[in-house]
Amino acid sequence: MSSSPPQQSRPPPPFAAAPPQNPTPAPAFPPSSAFSNLQISRGPAPPPGAPRSGLTPQAAPPAGFPSRPSSGMGIAAPPAVRPFPGSPPAPVPPFPRAQAASPPFGVPPAVAAAPAVAMQQPRPFGGPPPGIGGPPGAAPPFGGPPGSAAAAPFGGAPAPMSQPQQQPPQFGAPPPVAMMSQPPPQFGVPPGVGAQPAAPPQFGRPALSGPPAAAGIGSSQAMPPSFGSQQQQAPPTFGGPAPPQFGRPGAQPPFGAAQAAPMSQQAPFMGPLRGNAPAFGNAPWQTQGAGSGAMQPPMRMPGMPPNTLGQGMPPTTPTMPYSPHAGTQVSTPSKIDPNQIPRPMAETSVIIFETRQGGQAAIPPAASSEFIVKDTGNCSPRLMRCSVNQIPCTADLLTTSGMPLSLMVQPFSLPHPSEEPIQLVDFGDMGPIRCSRCKAYINPFMRFVDQGRHFICNLCGHSNDTPREYICNLGPDGRRRDADDRPELCRGTVEFVASKEFLVRDPMPAVYFFLIDVSMNAVQTGATAAACSAISQAISDLPEGPRTMVGIATYDSAIHFYSLKRAQQQPLMLIVPDVQDVYTPLQKDLILPVSECRENLEQLLESIPTMFENNRVADSAFGAATKAGFLAMKSTGGKLLVFQSVLPSLGVGSLSAREAEGRANISTSDKEPHKLLQPVDKTLKTMALEFAEYQVCVDVFLTTQSYVDIASISVVPNTTGGRVYYYYPFSARSDPAKLFNDLRWNISRPQGFEAVMRVRCSQGLQVQDYFGNFCKRVPTDIDLPSIDSDKTIMVTFKHDDKLQENSECGFQCALLYTNVYGQRRIRVMNLSLPCTNMLSNLFRYADLETQFACFLKQAGNGIPTSTLLHIREEVTNTCINILQSYRKYCASVTSSGQLILPEALKLLPLYTLALIKSVGLRNEGRLDDRSYWISLVSSISVSLAVPMVFPRLIPIHDLTSRGDDDSLIPSPLMLNSENTHEDGVYLLENGEDGLIYVGNVVDPTILQQMFGVSSLAALPSQVVLEQFDNELSRKVNEVINEIRRQRCSYLRLRICRRGEPSGDIFRSYLVEDKAPGGPSYVEFLVHVHRQIQSKLT
Ligand SMILES: [Zn+2]
């Protein structure tokens, strides 16, 4: 039943050739012939199905032709119709061709590779292979089925959990493991324990329902994007040299070593990769493994070379030499040595990670490291990873730890090119085998018994009859003899062909509808032209398959649709003037297969900037236009891409400038300014719910120079599986390139449509809530009109019973979706983790980046309903409670003068401090910047969560002095001002923005080589990084392009200078420095230590 791995080409690099490709001039559109077609339709030409009165079909004015709608045009324009924006003579597009001619930003990423890359670009639709929606395929490097996976011994979770043995909890003393084995009932739950993931409403247990139904509506959460990657967690070093003991800080050079660390090798693939591990200093003071290491059945880390990172997992069993007493600690607060405090470390090698080995789950490498996954039973950690790699048996144990229990699910995350593609399994009409009680899908952890005639569900424990045609004998090891030949029985992730029961209608086509703001400001700032240019270039990447359809409309105080049917040879402009009660002018012909209208569309895009060149209409009906676009695509669903430039001021969903109000409030004391971060009313939310119901996903590109109320606007993309892109202040000089690259990646990355997702788990746990960009209409499922490779959904859990020690807790995420080829698929990801009664194991197997991503999302989620001060306190308390729990129950040191950190979480204080000082949580800042941040974090991936607040800082003025053996990207510097000198140039990137700090006394030669200017005074703030003919310029471009590739994000580059506001922005990211917004890193550690001490006494 399994088919061969689908071939799929790799997604195009996020930013391949730069839009305006260097030398490649934009397609030459006949200048003014552009709309010659339109003229033909002048005159009466009543629109085909003119639906309602009020509809005003008009011939689009030819460029360069006065376009005042003469009365003769089309049906009488209703009063509301406003005259066509004038159209003066020379059609000089505001954002001239020049753009095409001169490369806006240096060499397009991967210039050299560009051609090659192009070949590999997978045509998102149209093409070929009935492949799997997702992963770029690479030849499976390893084929053999892993042996052990299937022997899932843990089957029934259902069984009544036996009580944990009762051992009297004895905390206090350094926990010999034994003691830990029992969750201490209540040792004082630290006050702050509250820090747990907020418990959302609890929907009941996932009912055993049938196949996920189609769309739903739900609530969405906010999420922000992020920046840079990297910072890794410090790999625990068990196995390694014994951690320095207490008080004396390890002798290691805090940073030095790290500096030299070579970066990870670059894998030669093009697709964006998750960040390579950034290099960071050596762990100065070791952290301590949970005191009980040795006692505990070691988790295996298959395949991990001894020194690899797995978070602190010992490579093999019990023999790990790490000292149970080692603890990272800083001595007395007053003695903290800034050179000895924990900082991220560099990981320099590519790790081969087998998800299970010897029948046990392996601990995943840090999300920010570079690794190649071999799926041997558990899914890739890129697809799904848990905040803790051992599941606490009881709610008390979890509460005591202060840690969150959640999964981060990124169903389409990009695989490493060397990974085997996900296998496709087709059960034909029978459909995938499922548990008849909980509906879980067949997976490697279901246990076959009774000669294979029955199987026990690993989630609910139900004994099911094996369908006759699926029966297979068991081997001596108890496994089915065919287990290694069936992906669904030996792989953590598979895709099933959806049978009829999963189809409520035919799979939808890939529909793209573009909406462009053409109001006065949009046109005058060049935003309209930038949008038209970006769309024109991006659609050239769309294959011409019949399933790829496009449509377009422009809007200001009215909405203008265009009928592009080729047969007409006369694109019609159809105006909808009613922006309160919107409708769509035609029932068909507004959305056509791209093959039937490409030329007309390109010509229209070429003409729009000119057509509206003299537009004096300042109003922009965003809500109405979005609704109208939705109506046009309601029958199919699809992606609605909106290019908005000003505050929506008219029609349904119009907004007001609340910013002034906010400023007043903030300055006069805080009169709940956070309310300005909530949507102004429910209008847009209601609309968004309807969009989601009809499978329409909205992405909003905000190319603006003013406040646009992102808090309100973002509700639409966040509810429909889309996102907000923000270009502020929009620059017609430097932003078009990013706009194009963002749009291009948006439509070409791996993605699925009309999706429904559900996570199931073993009895004893239940899903508490989902966070991300989706719509939720029923408690158990989330509806995703679109889900792409960048989106991550957080799923939180809570106990409703006890789990049994020595059993495993299973998680299964099922995503039903339509791929770009129009095939309905069910992607099923399984993760089975051991259960534990030992607190020390929770610390030892904690996943720092995943936990931090939880805290980040929860903070973002909380900002609109609380004060910033309160959120900062919560974030800090979460950190303190976790560390205090470790100190109290697991650390072996008794001296209270030491701050002891668990190895796996030793960077938690640093990242917590970074979060407190972030754009989202610091006091200063514009409302829209904060709202944008909130919207980004809501769907941010684990690998980008840390970089978003803890960026990467690298020197770029001396790139030419680096050796050939050095990694492409220099080792990151610690984030403090001691590392930035006025004679240097530094790049600070967080995955979203790239701040280039240029010192005041930089050698003019460097300025000339890097920017093409001879002095600081000549340096513009908006950078269009070009590649000049010199080594330094080439290297700078290489570095930036590599970062873009890693982040799947085209950085928005800005020049920062000391003494200017831009310099302050740069400094605000130097997390270790003391700043108006917060303490220095050392001060924060002292604070944390004191808080812990006071809780202990
Ligand atoms: Zn079941």
Side-chain angles (χ1 to χ4, degrees), residues 643-964:
F643 296 81
Q644 175 73 24
S645 300
V646 296
L647 182 71
S649 54
L650 199 69
V652 59
S654 63
L655 304 169
S656 62
R658 296 191 288 166
E659 189 178 37
E661 185 188 342
R663 228 180 270 121
N665 282 345
I666 290 168
S667 58
T668 47
S669 89
D670 56 341
K671 254 176 26 185
E672 302 192 281
H674 60 268
K675 293 214 163 143
L676 297 170
L677 297 167
Q678 297 171 6
V680 67
D681 61 29
K682 296 192 180 309
T683 310
L684 291 174
K685 177 70 175 184
T686 304
M687 283 170 51
L689 291 174
E690 186 183 11
F691 296 174
E693 183 173 0
Y694 289 90
Q695 310 297 349
V696 171
C697 164
V698 181
D699 284 303
V700 182
F701 297 80
L702 296 169
T703 48
T704 185
Q705 295 180 343
S706 60
Y707 171 75
V708 295
D709 195 354
I710 293 176
S712 295
I713 288 177
S714 63
V715 164
V716 180
N718 286 13
T719 304
T720 59
R723 67 159 280 190
V724 171
Y725 293 85
Y726 190 37
Y727 311 83
Y728 172 88
F730 177 76
S731 160
R733 171 178 155 80
S734 58
D735 283 324
K738 176 166 167 55
L739 184 65
F740 161 70
N741 275 290
D742 287 347
L743 176 63
R744 179 172 178 275
W745 179 239
N746 181 294
I747 64 180
S748 61
R749 63 191 164 180
Q751 56 197 294
F753 306 112
E754 50 184 351
V756 182
M757 189 182 106
R758 172 182 296 192
V759 170
R760 293 178 171 85
C761 57
S762 287
Q763 276 186 353
L765 288 185
Q766 64 178 254
V767 171
Q768 187 170 45
D769 206 355
Y770 294 92
F771 294 80
N773 292 4
F774 52 74
C775 168
K776 189 160 73 175
R777 293 189 296 189
V778 297
T780 52
D781 299 339
I782 55 174
D783 297 328
L784 301 136
S786 176
I787 170 82
D788 58 70
S789 60
D790 295 325
K791 301 290 191 307
T792 297
I793 291 143
M794 175 168 76
V795 188
T796 56
F797 299 86
K798 66 176 182 181
H799 288 79
D800 56 8
D801 200 346
K802 290 179 180 172
L803 294 167
Q804 201 167 7
E805 190 156 29
N806 299 321
S807 68
E808 290 207 359
C809 178
F811 298 93
Q812 182 178 78
C813 175
L815 178 77
L816 171 65
Y817 72 101
T818 297
N819 67 18
V820 294
Y821 308 112
Q823 297 157 332
R824 203 76 172 138
R825 299 282 190 248
I826 306 159
R827 176 167 291 203
V828 176
M829 296 159 274
N830 297 284
L831 181 62
S832 189
L833 298 172
C835 300
T836 185
N837 265 321
M838 303 203 329
L839 187 61
S840 56
N841 282 349
L842 295 187
F843 284 104
R844 192 166 160 212
Y845 300 115
D847 186 317
L848 172 65
E849 289 162 299
T850 302
Q851 292 197 10
F852 181 75
C854 292
F855 302 144
L856 176 66
K857 288 167 189 281
Q858 286 166 349
N861 196 45
I863 295 172
T865 55
S866 188
T867 62
L868 290 174
L869 176 63
H870 180 69
I871 299 288
R872 289 194 296 263
E873 285 174 352
E874 275 193 340
V875 167
T876 306
N877 286 335
T878 298
C879 170
I880 290 170
N881 290 334
I882 292 173
L883 300 180
Q884 187 253 345
S885 173
Y886 179 78
R887 178 68 182 77
K888 184 169 182 182
Y889 306 117
C890 302
S892 51
V893 182
T894 52
S895 162
S896 67
Q898 295 165 338
L899 171 59
I900 303 178
L901 308 175
E903 174 67 31
L905 299 177
K906 66 184 177 186
L907 294 174
L908 185 58
L910 179 58
Y911 294 164
T912 297
L913 176 63
L915 175 53
I916 289 169
K917 293 180 171 182
S918 69
V919 170
L921 299 190
R922 61 179 172 237
N923 280 336
E924 322 76 62
R926 301 172 60 247
L927 279 175
D928 269 353
D929 288 345
R930 202 183 312 279
S931 293
Y932 175 58
W933 188 93
I934 292 168
S935 78
L936 279 183
V937 293
S938 125
S939 69
I940 199 168
S941 67
V942 174
S943 58
L944 291 178
V946 169
M948 177 159 184
V949 302
F950 190 85
R952 176 159 54 174
L953 174 65
I954 54 176
I956 55 173
H957 52 273
D958 58 355
L959 291 175
T960 52
S961 61
R962 293 160 47 76
D964 290 343

Side-chain angles (χ1 to χ4, degrees), residues 435 438 457 460 462:
C435 169
C438 74
C457 175
C460 74
H462 183 65

